[in-house]
Amino acid sequence: WNGDFFEESSLTRLGMEYYLSHRGLPCPMNGIPVVGCIARVTVVDITGIHYLIICFCQCTDAPDAEKQLFQMGLFPASFTWPRTTFTFALLNDFALLHL
């Protein structure tokens, strides 16, 4: 609300960060909150296109970034440095629509 009307916003603009592993809490190995986070990851879902800040687990025994995304139901568009992901729900619907 800007005083006159509601402005469009996003959770990213409000500072929300999406943590992988550790049950949604920041990784204790990150130290600095920005380390291990990718700013503005595009997440394509059934409900639309969303932009999130995704933070990966930095523990020594943590799986690769791609595996962490898979565990959260996200399929990365790139395996070198994922900046776009698709939800499994979207991919399931896509497969059903094309059968």
Side-chain angles (χ1 to χ4, degrees):
W1 181 256
N2 66 8
D4 294 324
F5 58 90
F6 287 101
E7 292 180 351
E8 186 176 338
S9 187
S10 68
L11 294 174
T12 301
R13 285 183 56 192
L14 296 175
M16 179 189 157
E17 295 177 346
Y18 191 71
Y19 297 103
L20 304 181
S21 299
H22 301 287
R23 296 184 178 152
L25 298 174
C27 178
M29 298 301 291
N30 279 351
I32 304 169
V34 179
V35 175
C37 296
I38 301 176
R40 194 165 180 195
V41 174
T42 305
V43 179
V44 184
D45 186 33
I46 298 169
T47 61
I49 299 172
H50 308 281
Y51 304 100
L52 299 174
I53 297 172
I54 295 182
C55 300
F56 295 97
C57 177
Q58 299 294 312
C59 294
T60 55
D61 60 343
D64 295 339
E66 300 82 28
K67 289 181 185 175
Q68 291 182 44
L69 289 170
F70 285 141
Q71 290 171 349
M72 297 306 291
L74 300 171
F75 188 87
S78 167
F79 289 100
T80 54
W81 189 244
R83 303 287 295 197
T84 303
T85 63
F86 303 93
T87 63
F88 286 175
L90 175 83
L91 295 174
N92 285 337
D93 280 5
F94 179 79
L96 288 174
L97 289 171
H98 284 85
L99 283 178

